[in-house]
Amino acid sequence: MSKLKLIIKREYLAKVRNKSFVIMTFLSPILMVGMIVLIAFLTEVNDSEKRIVVVLNESDYFSNEFNSTASVSYIKFRDINLEQARDSTISIGYYGLLHIPKEDSLEKVASAAFLYTKENPTSYILERLERIFENRLRQERLQKIGVSSEEFAAIEKNFEIHTATFKGEENVKGLNMMKAFVGGAFGYLIMMFIIIYGGFVMRSVIEEKTSRIIEVIISSVKPFQLMLGKIIGTSLAGLTQFAIWIFSASLLLVVALLLLDIDLGVMASNPAISANPMLNMPTPQESEMEFWAKEFFNLPLLLLLGSFIVYFILGYLIYSSIYAAIGAAVDNETDTQQFIFPIILPLMLAIYVGFFSVFNNPHGPIAVGFSLFPLTSPIVMLMRLPGGIGEGGVPLWQLLTSIILLIITFLGIVWLAAKIYRVGILMYGKKPTYRELFKWLKY
């Protein structure tokens, strides 16, 4: 046990005292915050440009439909022809010219209307103008059949059935999706941490194997102890760096936004995004917003945070032990490429299968199976846990089984990795195949 502690301490100190580790620990939050602030600033500058569209309306329709907004202004030309209006628009430098010709019916006017621009118009401008024409055409068609706009709105009013649990608690549409997104965010964070920091252990093993130091160390320490110590020590170093990143990046982001007076909401309120009809949802009322906020804080946040820490550590330990086994089997990082994709594949599968299955049925066989399978459970189980534990949520036995399987799998992979480690540290100059790795496990 004392040897294990020494190995963990050695690996941890060797990593945190490394110059590149120290530099990236303090430089990365600055770069990340700088990138976020730069994107927000550029988005704000880009959206500050106001586009001016000239409207040449020769028809008897569309008298008051074109109202200026924060991003689009309309200027009306009168008593000139199309050629003159086009020349004036180009010479002044306006964004575009909307020509509405004179016809004997609104249908013909709409079909003959043209928008002239220097280059392809933005989707936001097109969506806005098309919506104006659609609303005006709808009013005209309703009047012809004797239906008022108010009557049509009443007919087309959406209906949503009320839902509640058997205990009488009111449900809200899309709540399962919100829960899955909250859990998915935790799961995605785990995946990114594994991908970024999993290579730490692998590179550490490759460096020691290349320098031949490992041949001296292995003479006094069992391969299992050495492998376990390297994994835990390097993992603690990665967790230390990650914690510093989270704290310092959050602090820097708040300070930068306050000093520069930048609103991150501009990225979410981008006109190009809001113009998308698939994303152009009606604005919820304040009571609905309060309801969503209440539902969010009603989530088992302490359970999610505690489970995230457990799955975060166990998931990383499992995958870092696999990375360590790969490092023991090869001589340089170039030879690791053939083994990396099979490692990343379960993580990607967990993200996509988790989203598709948990959204629709968080207690279905696919969601349950992937939340128990050790290589995918750190991500999928976190997607299911926002529903809570017990009745209506994840059964307690599934949560405990998942954690136990993770622990057993971690110890099993470390044991297998140690067997590969014992043979691989003495192999030089030859690229191992999957068949040879299987043979090493039998030695």
Side-chain angles (χ1 to χ4, degrees):
M1 196 65 181
S2 59
K3 293 182 180 180
L4 179 61
K5 291 181 180 179
L6 289 174
I7 296 170
I8 294 173
K9 182 179 179 180
R10 172 185 175 274
E11 291 295 328
Y12 180 82
L13 294 177
K15 183 60 65 177
V16 298
R17 289 175 177 173
N18 187 280
K19 289 184 178 180
S20 61
F21 183 90
V22 175
I23 292 173
M24 292 307 299
T25 298
F26 295 99
L27 183 61
S28 294
I30 298 175
L31 294 176
M32 288 188 291
V33 172
M35 182 181 65
I36 294 173
V37 172
L38 179 62
I39 293 173
F41 174 75
L42 294 177
T43 304
E44 187 174 352
V45 171
N46 184 66
D47 292 342
S48 63
E49 178 187 359
K50 194 164 188 175
R51 298 177 175 88
I52 300 176
V53 177
V54 175
V55 180
L56 178 60
N57 186 10
E58 300 175 340
S59 70
D60 299 328
Y61 306 95
F62 302 100
S63 56
N64 299 313
E65 282 80 4
F66 298 96
N67 300 315
S68 299
T69 64
S71 56
V72 183
S73 291
Y74 299 99
I75 296 178
K76 297 180 181 180
F77 280 3
R78 294 184 178 88
D79 302 326
I80 59 175
N81 58 37
L82 176 59
E83 195 65 30
Q84 293 172 330
R86 185 183 299 164
D87 293 339
S88 298
T89 302
I90 294 173
S91 62
I92 298 175
Y94 290 147
Y95 180 79
L97 168 64
L98 175 63
H99 178 227
I100 305 176
K102 184 175 181 61
E103 298 288 348
D104 56 3
S105 68
L106 178 60
E107 297 285 346
K108 292 181 180 180
V109 168
S111 61
F114 263 88
L115 174 65
Y116 298 94
T117 56
K118 185 178 180 180
E119 54 189 20
N120 289 334
T122 64
S123 60
Y124 173 67
I125 298 293
L126 283 178
E127 290 286 343
R128 187 169 184 82
L129 294 177
E130 287 173 353
R131 198 174 300 118
I132 292 174
F133 278 88
E134 287 174 357
N135 292 336
R136 186 67 181 87
L137 287 168
R138 184 181 294 111
Q139 293 176 8
E140 182 77 8
R141 292 164 183 168
L142 290 174
Q143 289 176 1
K144 287 183 178 180
I145 60 176
V147 179
S148 66
S149 300
E150 293 76 13
E151 291 172 335
F152 180 78
I155 294 172
E156 287 292 305
K157 186 177 181 180
N158 293 331
F159 170 78
E160 291 185 6
I161 190 170
H162 298 287
T163 62
T165 64
F166 286 114
K167 295 181 179 180
E169 298 175 352
E170 183 181 359
N171 291 327
V172 62
K173 184 179 180 181
L175 185 59
N176 283 339
M177 186 172 293
M178 183 189 75
K179 292 179 179 180
F181 269 117
V182 171
F186 283 122
Y188 189 78
L189 190 61
I190 290 177
M191 184 187 76
M192 294 306 299
F193 185 86
I194 290 173
I195 293 175
I196 294 173
Y197 288 95
F200 276 14
V201 180
M202 182 178 67
R203 284 189 289 271
S204 176
V205 174
I206 293 175
E207 288 172 2
E208 290 187 350
K209 180 179 176 181
T210 305
S211 63
R212 313 298 288 265
I213 297 175
I214 197 66
E215 295 179 5
V216 178
I217 299 175
I218 202 67
S219 61
S220 58
V221 181
K222 293 181 179 179
F224 181 84
Q225 287 181 316
L226 183 58
M227 177 65 69
L228 186 61
K230 291 183 72 65
I231 293 171
I232 295 177
T234 308
S235 300
L236 290 175
L239 289 171
T240 302
Q241 188 180 56
F242 193 69
I244 295 174
W245 280 3
I246 294 294
F247 176 77
S248 58
S250 302
L251 184 61
L252 284 173
L253 183 61
V254 172
V255 173
L257 295 179
L258 290 176
L259 292 178
L260 300 176
D261 193 23
I262 295 177
D263 183 13
L264 289 179
V266 297
M267 292 188 289
S269 60
N270 193 320
I273 299 175
S274 60
N276 190 333
M278 295 300 293
L279 301 176
N280 192 23
M281 302 298 291
T283 304
Q285 299 177 357
E286 186 66 26
S287 59
E288 292 177 331
M289 294 296 293
E290 293 175 356
F291 183 78
W292 277 100
K294 184 183 73 172
E295 288 296 331
F296 174 79
F297 287 107
N298 282 339
L299 294 177
L301 298 179
L302 291 178
L303 171 66
L304 284 174
L305 184 60
S307 300
F308 170 72
I309 295 173
V310 172
Y311 283 102
F312 185 88
I313 294 174
L314 291 177
Y316 176 68
L317 289 176
I318 286 178
Y319 279 93
S320 62
S321 61
I322 299 175
Y323 274 104
I326 294 174
V330 300
D331 294 334
N332 53 71
E333 288 192 49
T334 304
D335 297 336
T336 63
Q337 300 305 313
Q338 61 177 323
F339 301 106
I340 294 298
F341 182 72
I343 299 177
I344 300 177
L345 185 61
L347 295 172
M348 297 173 59
L349 190 64
I351 288 290
Y352 291 108
V353 173
F355 270 117
F356 284 113
S357 61
V358 175
F359 274 1
N360 298 323
N361 186 6
H363 305 296
I366 300 298
V368 173
F370 275 83
S371 65
L372 296 178
F373 182 59
L375 296 182
T376 57
S377 62
I379 296 175
V380 180
M381 182 60 80
L382 285 174
M383 294 184 181
R384 298 180 61 206
L385 280 177
I389 296 179
E391 185 178 356
V394 177
L396 181 60
W397 71 267
Q398 291 184 8
L399 179 64
L400 296 178
T401 302
S402 174
I403 294 174
I404 293 172
L405 287 176
L406 279 172
I407 296 173
I408 294 174
T409 302
F410 164 63
L411 295 176
I413 293 178
V414 172
W415 179 75
L416 293 174
K419 294 179 73 68
I420 296 176
Y421 195 62
R422 183 179 58 183
V423 179
I425 56 176
L426 303 176
M427 302 290 289
Y428 297 96
K430 184 180 180 181
K431 295 182 180 180
T433 62
Y434 286 102
R435 178 178 295 180
E436 289 179 336
L437 290 178
F438 184 73
K439 289 181 179 179
W440 293 359
L441 296 176
K442 297 179 180 179
Y443 292 156

